Coordinates of all heavy atoms in Angstrom, one line a residue:
M1 N 21.2 70.3 28.3 CA 22.2 71.2 28.7 C 23.6 70.7 28.8 O 24.5 71.2 28.3 CB 21.7 72.0 30.0 CG 22.6 73.1 30.4 SD 22.5 74.4 29.2 CE 23.6 75.6 29.9
I2 N 23.7 69.5 29.5 CA 25.0 68.9 29.7 C 25.6 68.4 28.3 O 26.7 68.5 28.1 CB 24.9 67.8 30.7 CG1 26.3 67.3 31.1 CG2 24.2 66.6 30.2 CD1 27.0 68.3 32.0
H3 N 24.7 68.0 27.4 CA 25.1 67.5 26.1 C 25.7 68.7 25.3 O 26.8 68.5 24.7 CB 23.9 67.0 25.3 CG 24.2 66.4 24.0 ND1 24.2 67.1 22.9 CD2 24.6 65.1 23.7 CE1 24.6 66.3 21.9 NE2 24.9 65.2 22.4
F4 N 25.1 69.9 25.4 CA 25.7 71.1 24.8 C 27.0 71.4 25.3 O 28.0 71.7 24.6 CB 24.7 72.2 24.9 CG 25.2 73.5 24.4 CD1 25.4 73.8 23.0 CD2 25.7 74.5 25.3 CE1 25.9 75.0 22.6 CE2 26.2 75.7 24.8 CZ 26.3 75.9 23.5
I5 N 27.2 71.4 26.6 CA 28.4 71.7 27.3 C 29.5 70.7 26.9 O 30.7 71.1 26.6 CB 28.3 71.8 28.8 CG1 27.4 73.0 29.2 CG2 29.6 71.9 29.5 CD1 27.0 73.1 30.6
L6 N 29.2 69.5 26.8 CA 30.2 68.5 26.5 C 30.6 68.6 25.0 O 31.8 68.5 24.7 CB 29.7 67.1 26.7 CG 29.5 66.7 28.2 CD1 28.8 65.3 28.3 CD2 30.8 66.6 28.9
M7 N 29.7 68.9 24.1 CA 30.0 69.1 22.7 C 30.8 70.4 22.5 O 31.7 70.4 21.7 CB 28.7 69.2 21.9 CG 28.0 67.9 21.7 SD 29.0 66.6 21.0 CE 29.2 67.2 19.4
L8 N 30.5 71.4 23.3 CA 31.3 72.7 23.3 C 32.7 72.4 23.7 O 33.7 72.9 23.1 CB 30.6 73.7 24.1 CG 31.3 75.1 24.2 CD1 31.3 75.7 22.8 CD2 30.7 76.0 25.2
S9 N 32.9 71.6 24.8 CA 34.2 71.3 25.3 C 35.0 70.5 24.3 O 36.2 70.7 24.1 CB 34.2 70.6 26.6 OG 33.6 69.4 26.5
V10 N 34.4 69.5 23.6 CA 35.1 68.8 22.5 C 35.5 69.6 21.4 O 36.6 69.5 20.9 CB 34.2 67.6 22.1 CG1 34.7 67.0 20.8 CG2 34.0 66.5 23.1
S11 N 34.6 70.6 21.0 CA 35.0 71.4 19.9 C 36.1 72.4 20.3 O 37.0 72.7 19.5 CB 33.8 72.2 19.4 OG 33.3 73.0 20.4
I12 N 36.2 72.9 21.5 CA 37.3 73.7 22.0 C 38.5 72.9 22.0 O 39.6 73.4 21.6 CB 36.9 74.3 23.3 CG1 35.8 75.4 23.2 CG2 38.2 74.9 24.0 CD1 35.3 75.9 24.5
M13 N 38.5 71.6 22.4 CA 39.7 70.8 22.4 C 40.2 70.5 21.0 O 41.4 70.4 20.8 CB 39.4 69.5 23.1 CG 39.4 69.6 24.7 SD 39.2 68.1 25.5 CE 37.7 68.4 26.4
V14 N 39.3 70.3 20.1 CA 39.7 70.1 18.7 C 40.4 71.4 18.1 O 41.4 71.3 17.5 CB 38.5 69.8 17.8 CG1 38.8 69.9 16.3 CG2 37.9 68.4 18.1
I15 N 39.9 72.5 18.5 CA 40.5 73.8 18.1 C 41.9 73.9 18.7 O 42.9 74.3 18.1 CB 39.7 75.0 18.4 CG1 38.4 75.0 17.6 CG2 40.4 76.3 18.3 CD1 37.4 76.0 18.0
S16 N 42.0 73.5 20.0 CA 43.3 73.6 20.7 C 44.3 72.6 20.1 O 45.5 72.9 20.0 CB 43.1 73.2 22.2 OG 44.3 73.1 22.9
I17 N 43.8 71.4 19.7 CA 44.7 70.4 19.1 C 45.2 71.0 17.7 O 46.4 70.8 17.3 CB 44.0 69.1 18.9 CG1 43.9 68.4 20.3 CG2 44.8 68.2 17.9 CD1 43.1 67.1 20.3
G18 N 44.3 71.7 17.0 CA 44.7 72.3 15.7 C 45.8 73.4 15.9 O 46.8 73.4 15.1
I19 N 45.6 74.2 16.9 CA 46.6 75.2 17.2 C 48.0 74.6 17.6 O 49.0 75.0 17.2 CB 46.1 76.2 18.3 CG1 44.9 77.0 17.7 CG2 47.2 77.1 18.8 CD1 44.2 77.8 18.8
C20 N 47.9 73.6 18.4 CA 49.2 72.9 18.9 C 49.8 72.2 17.7 O 51.0 72.1 17.6 CB 48.9 71.9 20.0 SG 48.5 72.7 21.5
A21 N 49.0 71.6 16.8 CA 49.6 71.0 15.6 C 50.3 72.0 14.7 O 51.4 71.7 14.1 CB 48.5 70.3 14.8
W22 N 49.8 73.2 14.6 CA 50.4 74.3 13.9 C 51.8 74.6 14.6 O 52.8 74.8 13.9 CB 49.5 75.5 13.9 CG 50.2 76.7 13.3 CD1 50.7 77.8 13.9 CD2 50.5 76.9 11.9 NE1 51.3 78.7 13.1 CE2 51.2 78.1 11.8 CE3 50.3 76.2 10.7 CZ2 51.7 78.6 10.6 CZ3 50.8 76.7 9.5 CH2 51.4 77.9 9.5
R23 N 51.8 74.7 15.9 CA 53.0 75.0 16.6 C 54.0 73.8 16.5 O 55.2 74.0 16.4 CB 52.7 75.2 18.1 CG 53.9 75.4 19.0 CD 54.8 76.6 18.6 NE 54.1 77.8 18.4 CZ 54.6 78.9 17.8 NH1 55.8 78.8 17.2 NH2 53.9 79.9 17.6
L24 N 53.5 72.6 16.4 CA 54.3 71.4 16.2 C 55.0 71.5 14.8 O 56.2 71.2 14.7 CB 53.5 70.2 16.3 CG 54.3 68.8 16.2 CD1 55.2 68.6 17.3 CD2 53.2 67.7 16.1
V25 N 54.3 71.9 13.8 CA 54.9 72.0 12.5 C 55.8 73.3 12.3 O 56.9 73.2 11.8 CB 53.8 72.0 11.4 CG1 54.3 72.3 10.0 CG2 53.0 70.7 11.4
K26 N 55.3 74.4 12.8 CA 56.0 75.7 12.6 C 57.2 75.9 13.5 O 58.2 76.4 13.1 CB 55.0 76.8 12.7 CG 55.4 78.1 12.2 CD 55.5 78.1 10.7 CE 55.8 79.5 10.3 NZ 56.2 79.6 8.9
G27 N 56.9 75.5 14.7 CA 57.8 75.6 15.7 C 58.8 76.6 16.1 O 58.8 77.0 16.2
P28 N 59.4 77.5 16.6 CA 60.7 78.0 16.3 C 61.8 77.1 16.8 O 62.9 77.1 16.2 CB 60.7 79.4 17.1 CG 59.7 79.3 18.1 CD 58.7 78.3 17.7
S29 N 61.6 76.4 17.9 CA 62.7 75.5 18.4 C 62.1 74.2 18.8 O 60.9 73.9 18.8 CB 63.3 76.2 19.6 OG 62.3 76.2 20.7
L30 N 63.1 73.3 19.0 CA 62.7 71.9 19.3 C 62.0 71.8 20.7 O 61.0 71.0 20.7 CB 64.0 71.0 19.4 CG 63.8 69.5 19.4 CD1 63.0 69.0 18.3 CD2 65.1 68.8 19.5
P31 N 62.3 72.5 21.7 CA 61.5 72.4 22.9 C 60.1 72.9 22.8 O 59.2 72.4 23.4 CB 62.3 73.3 23.9 CG 63.7 73.3 23.5 CD 63.6 73.2 22.0
D32 N 59.9 73.9 21.9 CA 58.5 74.3 21.6 C 57.7 73.2 20.9 O 56.5 73.0 21.2 CB 58.5 75.6 20.7 CG 59.0 76.8 21.5 OD1 58.8 76.9 22.7 OD2 59.6 77.7 20.8
R33 N 58.3 72.5 20.0 CA 57.7 71.4 19.3 C 57.3 70.3 20.3 O 56.3 69.7 20.2 CB 58.5 70.9 18.2 CG 58.6 71.9 17.1 CD 59.5 71.5 16.0 NE 59.4 72.4 14.9 CZ 60.3 72.6 14.0 NH1 61.4 71.8 14.0 NH2 60.2 73.5 13.0
I34 N 58.2 70.0 21.2 CA 58.0 68.9 22.2 C 56.8 69.3 23.1 O 56.0 68.5 23.5 CB 59.2 68.6 23.0 CG1 60.2 67.9 22.0 CG2 59.0 67.7 24.2 CD1 61.6 67.7 22.6
A35 N 56.8 70.6 23.6 CA 55.7 71.1 24.4 C 54.4 71.0 23.7 O 53.3 70.6 24.3 CB 56.0 72.5 24.9
A36 N 54.4 71.3 22.4 CA 53.2 71.2 21.6 C 52.7 69.7 21.5 O 51.5 69.5 21.5 CB 53.4 71.8 20.2
L37 N 53.7 68.8 21.3 CA 53.3 67.4 21.1 C 52.7 66.9 22.4 O 51.8 66.1 22.5 CB 54.5 66.6 20.7 CG 54.3 65.2 20.4 CD1 53.4 65.1 19.2 CD2 55.6 64.5 20.1
D38 N 53.3 67.3 23.6 CA 52.8 66.9 24.9 C 51.4 67.5 25.1 O 50.5 66.8 25.6 CB 53.7 67.3 26.0 CG 53.4 66.7 27.3 OD1 53.1 65.5 27.3 OD2 53.6 67.4 28.3
T39 N 51.2 68.7 24.7 CA 49.9 69.3 24.9 C 48.8 68.6 24.0 O 47.7 68.5 24.4 CB 49.9 70.8 24.5 OG1 51.0 71.4 25.3 CG2 48.6 71.5 24.8
I40 N 49.2 68.2 22.8 CA 48.3 67.5 21.9 C 47.9 66.2 22.6 O 46.7 65.8 22.6 CB 48.9 67.2 20.6 CG1 49.0 68.5 19.7 CG2 48.1 66.1 19.8 CD1 49.7 68.4 18.5
G41 N 48.9 65.5 23.2 CA 48.5 64.2 23.9 C 47.6 64.4 25.1 O 46.7 63.7 25.3
I42 N 47.8 65.5 25.9 CA 46.9 65.8 27.0 C 45.5 66.1 26.5 O 44.5 65.7 27.1 CB 47.5 66.9 27.9 CG1 48.8 66.4 28.6 CG2 46.5 67.5 28.9 CD1 49.6 67.5 29.2
N43 N 45.5 67.0 25.5 CA 44.1 67.3 24.9 C 43.4 66.1 24.3 O 42.2 66.0 24.5 CB 44.3 68.4 23.9 CG 44.4 69.8 24.4 OD1 44.0 70.1 25.5 ND2 45.2 70.7 23.7
L44 N 44.1 65.3 23.7 CA 43.5 64.1 23.1 C 43.0 63.2 24.3 O 41.9 62.6 24.2 CB 44.6 63.3 22.3 CG 44.1 62.2 21.4 CD1 43.1 62.7 20.4 CD2 45.2 61.5 20.7
L45 N 43.8 63.0 25.3 CA 43.3 62.3 26.5 C 42.0 62.8 27.1 O 41.1 62.1 27.4 CB 44.5 62.3 27.5 CG 44.3 61.4 28.7 CD1 45.6 60.7 29.0 CD2 44.0 62.2 29.9
A46 N 42.0 64.2 27.3 CA 40.9 64.8 27.8 C 39.6 64.7 26.9 O 38.5 64.5 27.4 CB 41.1 66.3 28.1
M47 N 39.9 64.8 25.6 CA 38.8 64.7 24.6 C 38.2 63.3 24.6 O 37.0 63.1 24.6 CB 39.3 65.0 23.2 CG 38.1 65.2 22.2 SD 38.6 65.9 20.7 CE 39.8 64.7 20.1
V48 N 39.0 62.3 24.8 CA 38.5 60.9 24.8 C 37.7 60.7 26.2 O 36.6 60.1 26.2 CB 39.6 59.9 24.7 CG1 39.1 58.5 25.0 CG2 40.2 59.9 23.4
A49 N 38.1 61.3 27.2 CA 37.4 61.2 28.5 C 36.0 62.0 28.4 O 35.0 61.4 28.9 CB 38.2 61.9 29.6
V50 N 36.0 63.1 27.8 CA 34.7 63.8 27.6 C 33.8 63.0 26.6 O 32.6 62.9 26.9 CB 35.0 65.2 27.0 CG1 33.7 65.9 26.6 CG2 35.7 66.1 28.1
L51 N 34.4 62.4 25.6 CA 33.5 61.6 24.7 C 33.0 60.4 25.5 O 31.9 59.9 25.2 CB 34.3 61.2 23.5 CG 34.6 62.3 22.5 CD1 35.5 61.8 21.3 CD2 33.3 62.8 21.9
S52 N 33.8 59.8 26.4 CA 33.3 58.7 27.2 C 32.1 59.1 28.0 O 31.2 58.3 28.2 CB 34.5 58.2 28.1 OG 34.0 57.2 28.9
V53 N 32.2 60.3 28.6 CA 31.0 60.8 29.4 C 29.8 61.1 28.5 O 28.7 60.8 28.8 CB 31.4 62.0 30.2 CG1 30.2 62.7 30.8 CG2 32.5 61.7 31.2
L54 N 30.1 61.6 27.3 CA 29.1 62.0 26.3 C 28.3 60.8 25.8 O 27.1 60.7 25.7 CB 29.6 62.8 25.2 CG 28.7 63.3 24.1 CD1 27.8 64.4 24.7 CD2 29.5 63.9 23.0
F55 N 29.1 59.7 25.6 CA 28.5 58.5 25.1 C 28.0 57.5 26.2 O 27.4 56.5 25.9 CB 29.4 57.7 24.2 CG 29.7 58.4 22.9 CD1 31.0 58.3 22.3 CD2 28.8 59.2 22.3 CE1 31.3 59.0 21.2 CE2 29.1 59.9 21.1 CZ 30.4 59.8 20.5
K56 N 28.2 57.9 27.4 CA 27.8 57.2 28.6 C 28.4 55.7 28.6 O 27.6 54.8 28.8 CB 26.3 57.2 28.8 CG 25.7 58.5 29.0 CD 24.2 58.5 29.1 CE 23.7 59.9 29.2 NZ 22.3 60.0 29.1
T57 N 29.7 55.6 28.3 CA 30.3 54.3 28.3 C 31.6 54.3 29.0 O 32.2 55.4 29.2 CB 30.5 53.9 26.8 OG1 31.1 52.6 26.8 CG2 31.4 54.8 26.1
Q58 N 32.1 53.2 29.5 CA 33.3 53.1 30.1 C 34.3 52.3 29.3 O 35.4 52.0 29.8 CB 33.2 52.4 31.5 CG 32.4 53.1 32.5 CD 32.3 52.4 33.8 OE1 32.7 51.3 34.0 NE2 31.7 53.1 34.8
S59 N 34.0 52.1 28.1 CA 34.9 51.3 27.2 C 36.1 52.1 26.7 O 37.0 51.5 26.1 CB 34.1 50.7 26.0 OG 33.6 51.8 25.2
F60 N 36.1 53.4 26.9 CA 37.2 54.2 26.5 C 38.3 54.3 27.5 O 39.3 55.0 27.3 CB 36.8 55.6 26.0 CG 35.9 55.6 24.8 CD1 34.8 56.4 24.8 CD2 36.1 54.8 23.8 CE1 34.0 56.5 23.7 CE2 35.3 54.8 22.6 CZ 34.3 55.7 22.6
I61 N 38.1 53.7 28.7 CA 39.1 53.9 29.8 C 40.5 53.3 29.4 O 41.5 53.9 29.7 CB 38.6 53.2 31.1 CG1 37.2 53.8 31.5 CG2 39.6 53.3 32.2 CD1 37.3 55.2 31.9
E62 N 40.5 52.2 28.7 CA 41.7 51.6 28.2 C 42.5 52.5 27.3 O 43.7 52.7 27.3 CB 41.5 50.2 27.5 CG 41.0 49.2 28.5 CD 39.5 49.2 28.6 OE1 38.8 49.8 27.8 OE2 39.0 48.5 29.5
Y63 N 41.7 53.2 26.4 CA 42.3 54.1 25.5 C 42.9 55.3 26.2 O 43.9 55.8 25.8 CB 41.3 54.5 24.4 CG 40.8 53.4 23.6 CD1 39.4 53.0 23.6 CD2 41.7 52.7 22.8 CE1 39.0 52.0 22.8 CE2 41.2 51.6 22.0 CZ 39.9 51.3 22.1 OH 39.4 50.2 21.3
I64 N 42.2 55.8 27.2 CA 42.7 56.9 28.0 C 44.0 56.6 28.6 O 45.0 57.3 28.6 CB 41.7 57.4 29.0 CG1 40.4 58.0 28.3 CG2 42.3 58.4 30.0 CD1 39.3 58.2 29.2
L65 N 44.1 55.4 29.2 CA 45.4 54.9 29.8 C 46.5 54.8 28.8 O 47.6 55.2 29.0 CB 45.2 53.6 30.6 CG 44.3 53.7 31.8 CD1 44.0 52.3 32.4 CD2 45.0 54.6 32.9
L66 N 46.2 54.2 27.6 CA 47.1 54.0 26.6 C 47.7 55.3 26.1 O 48.9 55.5 25.9 CB 46.5 53.2 25.5 CG 47.4 52.9 24.3 CD1 48.5 51.9 24.7 CD2 46.6 52.3 23.2
I67 N 46.8 56.3 25.8 CA 47.2 57.6 25.4 C 48.1 58.3 26.4 O 49.2 58.9 26.1 CB 46.0 58.5 25.0 CG1 45.3 57.9 23.8 CG2 46.4 59.9 24.8 CD1 43.9 58.6 23.5
G68 N 47.7 58.2 27.7 CA 48.5 58.8 28.7 C 49.9 58.2 28.8 O 50.9 58.9 28.9
I69 N 50.0 56.9 28.8 CA 51.3 56.2 28.8 C 52.2 56.5 27.6 O 53.4 56.9 27.8 CB 51.1 54.7 29.0 CG1 50.5 54.4 30.4 CG2 52.4 53.9 28.8 CD1 50.1 52.9 30.5
L70 N 51.6 56.5 26.4 CA 52.4 56.8 25.2 C 52.8 58.2 25.2 O 53.9 58.5 24.7 CB 51.6 56.4 24.0 CG 51.4 54.9 23.7 CD1 50.5 54.7 22.5 CD2 52.7 54.2 23.5
S71 N 52.0 59.1 25.7 CA 52.3 60.5 25.7 C 53.5 60.8 26.6 O 54.4 61.5 26.4 CB 51.1 61.4 26.1 OG 51.5 62.7 26.2
F72 N 53.4 60.1 27.8 CA 54.5 60.3 28.8 C 55.8 59.7 28.3 O 56.9 60.4 28.4 CB 54.1 59.6 30.1 CG 55.2 59.6 31.1 CD1 55.5 60.8 31.8 CD2 55.9 58.5 31.4 CE1 56.5 60.8 32.7 CE2 57.0 58.5 32.3 CZ 57.3 59.7 33.0
I73 N 55.8 58.5 27.7 CA 57.0 57.9 27.2 C 57.6 58.8 26.0 O 58.8 58.9 25.9 CB 56.7 56.5 26.7 CG1 56.5 55.6 28.0 CG2 57.9 55.9 26.0 CD1 56.0 54.2 27.7
G74 N 56.7 59.2 25.2 CA 57.2 60.1 24.1 C 57.8 61.4 24.5 O 58.9 61.8 24.0
T75 N 57.2 62.0 25.5 CA 57.8 63.2 26.0 C 59.2 63.0 26.7 O 60.1 63.7 26.5 CB 56.8 63.9 27.1 OG1 55.6 64.1 26.4 CG2 57.4 65.2 27.6
M76 N 59.3 61.9 27.4 CA 60.5 61.6 28.1 C 61.6 61.2 27.1 O 62.8 61.7 27.2 CB 60.4 60.4 29.1 CG 59.6 60.7 30.3 SD 60.3 62.0 31.3 CE 59.2 63.3 31.0
A77 N 61.3 60.5 26.0 CA 62.3 60.2 25.0 C 62.7 61.5 24.3 O 63.9 61.6 24.0 CB 61.7 59.2 24.0
L78 N 61.8 62.3 24.0 CA 62.2 63.6 23.3 C 63.0 64.5 24.2 O 63.9 65.2 23.7 CB 61.0 64.3 22.7 CG 60.3 63.6 21.6 CD1 59.0 64.2 21.2 CD2 61.2 63.6 20.3
A79 N 62.7 64.5 25.5 CA 63.5 65.4 26.4 C 64.9 64.8 26.5 O 65.9 65.6 26.6 CB 62.8 65.4 27.8
R80 N 65.0 63.5 26.5 CA 66.4 62.9 26.6 C 67.1 63.2 25.3 O 68.3 63.4 25.3 CB 66.2 61.4 26.8 CG 67.6 60.7 26.9 CD 67.4 59.3 27.2 NE 68.7 58.6 27.2 CZ 69.2 58.0 28.3 NH1 68.5 57.9 29.4 NH2 70.3 57.4 28.2
Y81 N 66.4 63.2 24.2 CA 67.1 63.5 22.9 C 67.6 65.0 22.9 O 68.7 65.3 22.5 CB 66.1 63.4 21.8 CG 66.7 63.8 20.4 CD1 67.7 63.0 19.8 CD2 66.3 65.0 19.8 CE1 68.2 63.4 18.6 CE2 66.8 65.4 18.7 CZ 67.8 64.6 18.0 OH 68.3 65.0 16.8
I82 N 66.8 65.9 23.5 CA 67.2 67.3 23.6 C 68.5 67.4 24.5 O 69.4 68.1 24.2 CB 66.1 68.2 24.1 CG1 65.1 68.4 23.1 CG2 66.7 69.5 24.6 CD1 63.9 69.2 23.6
E83 N 68.4 66.7 25.6 CA 69.5 66.8 26.5 C 70.8 66.2 26.0 O 71.9 66.8 26.1 CB 69.1 66.0 27.9 CG 70.2 66.1 28.9 CD 69.8 65.2 30.1 OE1 68.6 64.9 30.2 OE2 70.7 65.0 30.9
R84 N 70.8 65.0 25.4 CA 72.0 64.3 25.0 C 72.2 64.1 23.5 O 73.2 63.6 23.1 CB 72.0 62.9 25.7 CG 72.0 63.0 27.2 CD 72.1 61.7 27.8 NE 72.1 61.8 29.3 CZ 71.8 60.8 30.0 NH1 71.7 59.6 29.6 NH2 71.8 61.0 31.3
R85 N 71.2 64.5 22.7 CA 71.2 64.3 21.3 C 71.2 62.8 20.9 O 71.6 62.5 19.8 CB 72.3 65.1 20.6 CG 72.2 66.5 20.7 CD 71.0 67.0 19.8 NE 70.9 68.5 19.9 CZ 69.8 69.1 19.6 NH1 68.8 68.5 19.3 NH2 69.8 70.4 19.7
V86 N 70.9 62.0 21.8 CA 70.8 60.5 21.5 C 69.7 60.0 22.4 O 69.6 60.3 23.6 CB 72.1 59.8 21.7 CG1 72.6 59.9 23.2 CG2 72.1 58.4 21.2
V87 N 68.8 59.1 21.9 CA 67.8 58.5 22.7 C 68.3 57.2 23.4 O 68.1 57.0 24.6 CB 66.5 58.2 21.9 CG1 65.5 57.5 22.7 CG2 66.0 59.4 21.3
F88 N 69.0 56.4 22.7 CA 69.6 55.1 23.2 C 71.1 55.2 23.2 O 71.6 55.5 22.1 CB 69.1 53.9 22.4 CG 67.6 53.7 22.4 CD1 66.9 53.9 21.3 CD2 67.0 53.3 23.6 CE1 65.6 53.7 21.3 CE2 65.6 53.1 23.6 CZ 64.9 53.3 22.4
E89 N 71.7 55.0 24.3 CA 73.2 55.0 24.3 C 73.7 53.6 23.9 O 73.3 52.6 24.5 CB 73.7 55.4 25.7 CG 73.3 56.8 26.1 CD 73.8 57.2 27.5 OE1 74.4 56.3 28.1 OE2 73.5 58.3 27.9
H90 N 74.6 53.6 23.0 CA 75.2 52.4 22.6 C 76.3 51.9 23.5 O 77.2 52.7 23.9 CB 75.8 52.5 21.1 CG 74.7 52.9 20.1 ND1 73.7 52.0 19.7 CD2 74.5 54.0 19.5 CE1 73.0 52.6 18.9 NE2 73.4 53.9 18.7
G91 N 76.3 50.6 23.8 CA 77.4 50.1 24.7 C 77.1 50.2 26.2 O 77.8 49.7 27.0
S92 N 76.0 50.8 26.6 CA 75.7 51.0 28.0 C 75.1 49.7 28.6 O 75.1 49.5 29.8 CB 74.8 52.1 28.3 OG 73.6 51.9 27.7
D93 N 74.6 48.8 27.7 CA 74.0 47.6 28.2 C 75.0 46.4 28.2 O 74.6 45.3 28.6 CB 72.7 47.3 27.4 CG 73.0 47.1 26.0 OD1 74.1 47.5 25.5 OD2 72.1 46.6 25.3
Q94 N 76.2 46.5 27.7 CA 77.1 45.5 27.7 C 77.9 45.4 29.0 O 78.2 46.4 29.6 CB 78.1 45.7 26.5 CG 77.4 45.7 25.2 CD 78.3 46.0 24.0 OE1 79.5 46.3 24.3 NE2 77.8 46.0 22.8
N95 N 78.3 44.2 29.3 CA 79.1 43.9 30.5 C 80.5 44.0 30.1 O 81.0 43.2 29.3 CB 78.7 42.5 31.1 CG 79.3 42.4 32.5 OD1 79.9 43.3 33.0 ND2 79.0 41.2 33.0
D96 N 81.3 44.9 30.7 CA 82.7 45.1 30.4 C 83.6 44.3 31.3 O 84.6 44.7 31.8 CB 83.1 46.6 30.5 CG 82.4 47.4 29.5 OD1 82.0 46.9 28.4 OD2 82.1 48.6 29.8
S97 N 83.4 42.9 31.4 CA 84.3 42.1 32.2 C 85.3 41.5 31.4 O 85.4 41.3 30.3 CB 83.6 41.0 32.9 OG 82.2 41.0 32.9

């Protein structure tokens, strides 16, 4: 029974990732695309966690942490791009003495 529920949840997450990928491509605006990308990252993280339970292994923990960190950094970089239209500011790391 638990195997069926885990497989059902993975298939629902795959469908959700597909819908978010459609929103990422189609988009109407840049914030919608960023929200879709962040949702894809969260769904991917949850899917790897469910697969880890399904396969009864702990070897996917590193991948879960890596996906979470990369998703967070990507979302922050894209939010900064929306706010300032630049990700890295030039000249802010130089000492003006």
Side-chain angles (χ1 to χ4, degrees):
M1 182 68 179
I2 191 76
H3 186 268
F4 173 73
I5 293 171
L6 290 173
M7 289 302 292
L8 181 67
S9 65
V10 167
S11 62
I12 289 172
M13 283 185 241
V14 167
I15 292 169
S16 175
I17 288 173
I19 292 169
C20 288
W22 174 255
R23 177 55 55 195
L24 182 66
V25 171
K26 193 71 173 166
S29 67
L30 192 59
D32 290 332
R33 290 179 175 155
I34 292 172
L37 189 64
D38 192 39
T39 306
I40 288 172
I42 291 169
N43 281 331
L44 193 62
L45 187 135
M47 190 168 61
V48 171
V50 169
L51 287 174
S52 177
V53 171
L54 185 66
F55 295 146
K56 297 177 184 169
T57 182
Q58 294 181 353
S59 62
F60 294 141
I61 301 297
E62 293 88 10
Y63 299 117
I64 292 170
L65 291 172
L66 182 68
I67 292 169
I69 290 169
L70 289 176
S71 177
F72 175 74
I73 290 172
T75 302
M76 290 299 111
L78 289 172
R80 184 177 174 121
Y81 176 74
I82 286 177
E83 179 183 347
R84 300 184 182 165
R85 293 291 182 203
V86 66
V87 177
F88 299 112
E89 293 179 2
H90 298 289
S92 64
D93 60 345
Q94 297 175 358
N95 192 0
D96 294 330
S97 351

